[in-house]
Amino acid sequence: MKDFSTTRSGLVLGIESSCDETGIALFNGRIGVIVAESLHSQILLHAPFGGVVPELAGRDHIKYGLRLIDSTLKSAGISGNEIEAVAYTQGPGLAGALLVGAQLAAALAYAWGKPTIPVHHMEGHLLSPMLADPAPAFPFIALLVSGGHTQLMRVDGVGRYGLLGDTIDDAAGEAFDKSAKLIGLPYPGGALLSRLAANGEETSFAIPRPLLHSGDLNFSFAGLKTAVANEVRHLTGTALPARGAISAPQPILPDDHPRRADLAASIQAAIVDCLVAKSVAALKRTGLQRIVVAGGVGANQKLRESLNRAAEKVGATVFYPPVALCTDNGAMIAHVGALRFAEAKLDYSVNVKPRWDLAELRAPTPCA
Ligand code: KG4
Ligand code: ZN
């Protein structure tokens, strides 16, 4: 049974709009159940540009936000006055996109006379394995792997987070996406690269595993992207730019190249090896026996298989959120809203935090 003893909340509406997904959900904190949820992905909107265009993201959240809230409430047969609080992603993320969700939350909560709860996006990811069955008990290690974050945290309770390791440059999701682009896959390429890798041989290319033996719990993925770019140059017979040349176009591997799947498998294996090695090191260093994986890259099957195997060897158990809750969604925000219900305030200011360190969060004060 999940522990919601710090909350008295009934229905919390959650609004996620930090990046390229509009996620809405209703979560019942009293019984720990997602009552209704809906999601609109902007992938097709941004794909022609090869990445998220912030201005378009904000406009699209405006277009879909209220529409999705309305349909989510209707599908659950719930009216605004039955909702006890409106939780929204306050950060980190794209300022314009966050402002849309914050503004919606403030306007609706004001109209309904209900409090708002600002939520940290990564805390949403971090605690989403608690929505799975079985849920992990505290304390545990969390491996947060998304498009913008790659962190190992020690989690002693809600809001009791200690940073153990971080990426010094690119995030794991970013490494997947940038490599995917180089091998000719559309944005966001992580899941597509992983599908392609299933038909490849992962020892085909010597892709580096940066910081693997650094002795700390940090990650580095920027060099990996350079190595992939060099392999692609080699495979397409493109010469390196001449010394002193200002720039040269980076070749992209054509769709029908016979080594494409092998390169995808080798890239995936390198990223996964780094994530698994540091996760195991974190378990050993802290002596903890539970690790949760959260964030979009947590949907990667190869990561799941390798980490399960490695954790078992050191007597640890791995917990994942349900696959649908690995990538951005409203349920994880409504869920944190319920856990932090004690912090709900009649505050309708629109204030977002595009940059926000997870370690700044504090534990919620239990309800009297
Ligand atoms: O958590 P998320 O949805 O958004 C952020 O907060 O960043 O994570 C998105 C990231 C993207 O980089 C995407 O390519 C990656 O997660 N991703 C995957 C897979 N599914 C999503 N990477 C590898 N394998 C997957 N199956
Ligand atoms: Zn995310």
Side-chain angles (χ1 to χ4, degrees):
M1 186 61 198
K2 290 165 190 137
D3 180 14
F4 284 90
S5 53
T6 58
T7 171
R8 293 271 189 279
S9 87
L11 281 176
V12 176
L13 174 68
I15 303 175
E16 156 61 29
S17 75
S18 65
C19 188
D20 56 353
E21 246 112 29
T22 314
I24 305 296
L26 274 172
F27 185 79
N28 187 328
R30 220 162 266 134
I31 52 173
V33 163
I34 301 167
V35 177
E37 57 181 323
S38 52
L39 189 74
H40 167 70
S41 165
Q42 302 178 356
I43 284 180
L44 293 176
L45 177 70
H46 300 295
F49 304 96
V52 177
V53 183
E55 174 69 21
L56 295 183
R59 291 185 196 193
D60 205 62
H61 288 304
I62 292 176
K63 189 165 160 192
Y64 285 94
L66 197 52
R67 223 186 266 186
L68 284 191
I69 292 171
D70 193 44
S71 62
T72 307
L73 294 186
K74 283 200 176 115
S75 73
I78 300 287
S79 65
N81 53 22
E82 290 172 80
I83 288 168
E84 293 189 15
V86 182
Y88 65 96
T89 305
Q90 190 179 35
L94 302 169
L98 290 165
L99 280 168
V100 178
Q103 175 75 68
L104 267 175
L108 289 172
Y110 178 74
W112 295 331
K114 300 295 160 70
T116 57
I117 308 170
V119 172
H120 192 296
H121 179 83
M122 295 311 292
E123 185 173 45
H125 279 303
L126 179 74
L127 299 178
S128 59
M130 290 171 68
L131 292 167
D133 200 6
F138 298 117
F140 54 75
I141 297 291
L143 172 66
L144 290 174
V145 270
S146 72
H149 290 78
T150 303
Q151 294 181 327
L152 278 162
M153 315 275 307
R154 181 189 165 105
V155 180
D156 286 294
V158 176
R160 296 172 62 204
Y161 311 132
L163 184 66
L164 300 170
D166 206 344
T167 179
I168 59 168
D169 41 53
D170 289 355
E174 208 175 346
F176 266 108
D177 294 344
K178 286 179 176 171
S179 304
K181 198 169 178 177
L182 290 168
I183 62 172
L185 294 167
Y187 156 87
L192 296 171
L193 186 147
S194 138
R195 214 174 298 154
L196 186 61
N199 302 317
E201 174 46 62
E202 62 184 45
T203 54
S204 305
F205 292 87
I207 305 295
R209 273 101 171 124
L211 300 190
L212 193 63
H213 303 294
S214 59
D216 59 20
L217 299 175
N218 292 329
F219 303 91
S220 166
F221 291 110
L224 194 136
K225 173 195 62 197
T226 310
V228 176
N230 286 338
E231 292 294 357
V232 171
R233 247 188 227 112
H234 182 71
L235 288 171
T236 53
T238 315
L240 276 169
R243 271 192 94 155
I246 296 170
S247 68
Q250 168 63 43
I252 303 289
L253 210 57
D255 287 4
D256 56 356
H257 196 285
R259 306 292 311 281
R260 204 167 171 236
D262 287 343
L263 184 52
S266 304
I267 296 164
Q268 176 173 259
I271 299 173
V272 167
D273 277 358
C274 296
L275 296 175
V276 170
K278 297 292 168 110
S279 298
V280 169
L283 285 165
K284 286 186 179 159
R285 186 171 295 189
T286 57
L288 296 181
Q289 285 172 331
R290 286 176 293 271
I291 177 162
V292 315
V293 182
V297 181
N300 186 277
Q301 281 309 321
K302 161 90 184 162
L303 172 63
R304 289 182 172 221
E305 287 158 21
S306 306
L307 188 57
N308 288 348
R309 226 176 301 124
E312 200 183 330
K313 279 195 194 145
V314 294
T317 311
V318 196
F319 296 80
Y320 303 92
V323 172
L325 298 187
C326 279
T327 45
D328 293 349
N329 63 84
M332 67 183 194
I333 303 304
H335 172 231
V336 172
L339 292 169
R340 290 189 169 277
F341 187 68
E343 295 171 358
K345 284 199 189 93
L346 296 169
D347 177 359
Y348 307 119
S349 56
V350 177
N351 169 26
V352 297
K353 298 181 179 175
R355 287 175 174 274
W356 188 4
D357 187 353
L358 188 59
E360 283 173 18
L361 298 187
R362 295 288 165 262
T365 323
C367 297

